[in-house]
Amino acid sequence: MYKATILSGLCALFSLQALAFPLEGPSASTKRQGCEFDSANSPECWGDFSLSTNWYEEAPDTGVVREYWFNVHDTTMALDGVSRPVVAINGSIPGPTITADWGDTVVVHVSNSATNGTSIHWHGLRQNHTSEDDGVASITQCPIAPGDSLTYTWKATQYGTTWYHSHYSLQAWNGVFGGIIINGPASSAYDEDKGIMMLSDWFHVPVEELYVQASTGGPPQANNGLINGVNVYSDGGGSRYGTTFEAGKSYRFRLVNSAIDTMFRFMIDNHTLTVISSDLVPITPYETTTINVGIGQRYDVVVTANQDAKNYWMRSIPQTSCSSNEMTLDIKGIITYDGVDVADPDTSMWDYVDSCDDETLNLAPFLSLDAGNSDTENIFDIGLSAPNGLFVWTINDNAFLSDWGSPTLKQVLDGSSDFETEQQVVQLNEQNDWVYFIIESQIGLAHPVHLHGHDFFVLAQEAASTYSDSTPLNLVNPPRRDVAMLPAAGFLVIAFQSDNPGVWLMHCHIGWHTAQGFALQLVERLSEISATANTDVVDQTCSNWSDYAVTSGLVQEDSGV
Ligand SMILES: *[C@@H]1O[C@H](CO)[C@@H](O)[C@H](O)[C@H]1NC(C)=O
Ligand SMILES: *[C@@H]1O[C@H](CO)[C@@H](O)[C@H](O)[C@H]1NC(C)=O
Ligand SMILES: *[C@@H]1O[C@H](CO)[C@@H](O)[C@H](O)[C@H]1NC(C)=O
Ligand SMILES: *[C@@H]1O[C@H](CO)[C@@H](O)[C@H](O)[C@H]1NC(C)=O
Ligand SMILES: *[C@@H]1O[C@H](CO)[C@@H](O)[C@H](O)[C@H]1NC(C)=O
Ligand SMILES: [Cu+2]
């Protein structure tokens, strides 16, 4: 069995490598052949590889395995001073950061000690021929039952900043998420890496308790927002994220939006941001004073400590055009220049225009690639209805619904090639076809659209407008990423190649909307899928799940993802 061979190979490698390589931490100093990576002087270098390597075609093979053990459990935490029930990984929100080098293999053993099912999705990771490890309940696996565990294995063929999160119902937004850093070359120099800046919205009750409200009255207002898991709340307690600057040095921040329903504009008072990547794609650097980060998106920015030595606010501002928060202008961290007392800054924010639009103008990938002409074109019309008095989002009039106990990948492994209408399956059977998706909506709300298993090329994106045959498409090195905004009452046109056999979800990354049916799935190159998966593992997780579901009398109340 393909997977079994890989796993036993990995174990052998792991025991050989365990002593020679630390499990965590950046390894920028690891000796390499060729031009050596040095973030301050040669950020474009990576041994025999570089910033110019086409990572969709080749990646280093380090032979290094980064192994992690995650324990998902229920607990109570007061991230902003207000205590509430949460679901956490190893007692922390965000969970432990996964760190690896480009070309490493990452193995994560997930144990479920919580009272609900779980599954962990490695957002933005391509999962090249490893659909089984994509971690989406009801798509690529049954949920991991309480008391059960599952090991995920994937290769870091890309590098940069991303995150993982639960893909079981709304669970991610009770605290099951964390950062992923894959060290690799960069398109701009910097002195120090400040790591993940996780931007979240936050409620004072578990999100399930708000689902009926979200499905009748619309999304509830968030109580607060967090930066790396902390913020203050209405003078009641909590603390602020803080970090220090040494005058003259430059710092890399890795922004991740892990919200359920908030687009955040990030800024540091009086400092400009040099943007060096969007999602897992390095870009030609550009400067800006503020950056708008959609849900699920990532931007890496470099900031130089070139201002007067004092304290400055770092701000994460919910964009009110598509979100609502009690603490809109008070989700802040503090940057302290060395030698200055830590105190609340007196600085003022950069001017900005509130919006839920992507940063479209400047996102030119450093590795320039053009999109091919379309072989297959699909038009998806987004709609909203309330058949039983509860909102559902539809794609071409069909609301997505999957079954935890019967994931699509298992159906494929069991020989099925016929799927239920509400599974919303798009079959892509040709190899390396250029596939165009035209996603349109007449509803005046923006949606962050995320595709699994691929980066996509953004060919067109326009608010308050209708797509037509004469809409110009940008095929020449367009932005390339894994989440893009479908603008309000407008359209988004994306393209990708069918180069990854597997079952892949595409969905709106607003948690409420995913749960309310705004999703579809690709069954890509059906006949090649079984060769990528380990049927025994898929079946075992499902049989454990089925035992649990029967005895607990569990009822699935949403789309499942
Ligand atoms: C993706 O997987 C295929 C099949 O195993 C392999 O041929 C290809 O080299 C892989 N791509 C990368 C970038 O590793
Ligand atoms: C998480 O906790 C488990 C014990 O439950 C421990 O074995 C593991 O090392 C911890 N992992 C991390 C990344 O902290
Ligand atoms: C999680 O478990 C609790 C307690 O058993 C239950 O009330 C709740 O509905 C579950 N949530 C989901 C999404 O299954
Ligand atoms: C799941 O299945 C494995 C393999 O049979 C078994 O060892 C394990 O105890 C099961 N876990 C649960 C929670 O049923
Ligand atoms: C910061 O910028 C504001 C204008 O936004 C300006 O008035 C102020 O002098 C600047 N402060 C410093 C320390 O440069
Ligand atoms: Cu949406």
Side-chain angles (χ1 to χ4, degrees), residues 1 132 413 533-542:
M1 205 136 274
E132 179 189 354
L413 296 177
N534 185 329
T535 307
D536 292 346
V537 172
V538 173
D539 288 352
Q540 187 58 59
T541 308
C542 283

Side-chain angles (χ1 to χ4, degrees), residues 415-427:
S416 175
S417 54
D418 258 348
F419 304 95
E420 303 289 337
T421 311
E422 68 267 20
Q423 282 184 277
Q424 199 90 265
V425 167
V426 177
Q427 290 213 42

Side-chain angles (χ1 to χ4, degrees), residues 510-531:
I510 294 174
W512 311 120
H513 294 183
T514 325
Q516 290 160 346
F518 190 154
L520 60 75
Q521 54 185 322
L522 314 179
V523 171
E524 184 170 340
R525 295 165 52 168
L526 179 85
S527 64
E528 297 168 72
I529 294 175
S530 65

Side-chain angles (χ1 to χ4, degrees), residues 112 144-149 540-541 543-545 547-548:
N112 185 8
I144 306 170
D148 199 7
S149 55
Q540 187 58 59
T541 308
S543 114
N544 282 2
W545 173 256
D547 292 349
Y548 158 76

Side-chain angles (χ1 to χ4, degrees), residues 84-100:
R84 57 156 280 193
V86 298
V87 189
I89 298 174
N90 281 34
S92 77
I93 298 176
T97 299
I98 289 180
T99 306

Side-chain angles (χ1 to χ4, degrees), residues 185-441:
S187 64
S188 168
Y190 57 95
D191 295 312
E192 256 181 52
D193 196 333
K194 290 286 188 186
I196 300 282
M197 301 299 290
M198 189 69 77
L199 313 178
S200 320
D201 50 15
W202 195 242
F203 294 87
H204 290 153
V205 294
V207 284
E208 302 84 68
E209 292 180 17
L210 300 167
Y211 187 57
V212 170
Q213 182 185 339
S215 299
T216 50
Q221 181 179 49
N223 297 114
N224 204 350
L226 308 173
I227 298 179
N228 281 343
V230 293
N231 197 37
V232 300
Y233 179 68
S234 295
D235 301 328
S239 60
R240 295 207 188 267
Y241 168 82
T243 191
T244 54
F245 273 10
E246 196 178 312
K249 276 199 170 176
S250 57
Y251 298 94
R252 176 179 186 164
F253 290 93
R254 301 165 178 270
L255 312 178
V256 179
N257 182 333
S258 59
I260 188 171
D261 193 22
T262 306
M263 186 144 192
F264 287 111
R265 187 175 294 275
F266 179 88
M267 66 177 82
I268 298 175
D269 295 352
N270 289 82
H271 293 74
T272 54
L273 312 172
T274 301
V275 187
I276 66 168
S277 62
S278 57
D279 298 347
L280 286 171
V281 178
I283 61 171
T284 302
Y286 73 95
E287 286 195 9
T288 184
T289 52
T290 76
I291 189 159
N292 218 9
V293 192
I295 299 170
Q297 294 183 330
R298 290 86 66 212
Y299 288 103
D300 285 26
V301 299
V302 173
V303 181
T304 301
N306 57 7
Q307 297 295 304
D308 294 351
K310 51 182 276 188
N311 295 331
Y312 296 86
W313 289 121
M314 165 191 282
R315 303 172 193 266
S316 178
I317 306 180
Q319 298 300 281
T320 57
S321 309
C322 60
S323 355
S324 170
N325 196 298
E326 273 182 56
M327 301 285 282
T328 303
L329 293 179
D330 205 11
I331 303 162
K332 295 186 292 200
I334 300 176
I335 305 267
T336 303
Y337 274 60
D338 256 4
V340 173
D341 284 342
V342 181
D344 277 3
D346 60 3
T347 55
S348 26
M349 66 174 115
W350 293 103
D351 286 338
Y352 68 93
V353 178
D354 189 282
S355 95
C356 294
D357 296 334
D358 264 335
E359 299 279 315
T360 42
L361 290 178
N362 297 299
L363 304 179
F366 181 90
L367 170 69
S368 174
L369 296 175
D370 297 341
N373 289 313
S374 99
D375 303 307
T376 310
E377 201 167 273
N378 296 273
I379 298 187
F380 301 114
D381 272 306
I382 308 305
L384 180 63
S385 63
N388 305 310
L390 297 175
F391 289 138
V392 292
W393 287 89
T394 56
I395 299 180
N396 295 341
D397 296 322
N398 187 22
F400 177 88
L401 180 64
S402 58
D403 178 353
W404 284 330
S406 176
T408 316
L409 180 63
K410 180 165 161 53
Q411 293 174 33
V412 169
L413 296 177
D414 289 346
S416 175
S417 54
D418 258 348
F419 304 95
E420 303 289 337
T421 311
E422 68 267 20
Q423 282 184 277
Q424 199 90 265
V425 167
V426 177
Q427 290 213 42
L428 301 173
N429 288 321
E430 302 301 317
Q431 294 187 351
N432 303 318
D433 242 11
W434 276 98
V435 180
Y436 284 17
F437 278 8
I438 296 147
I439 307 156
E440 10 183 42
S441 163

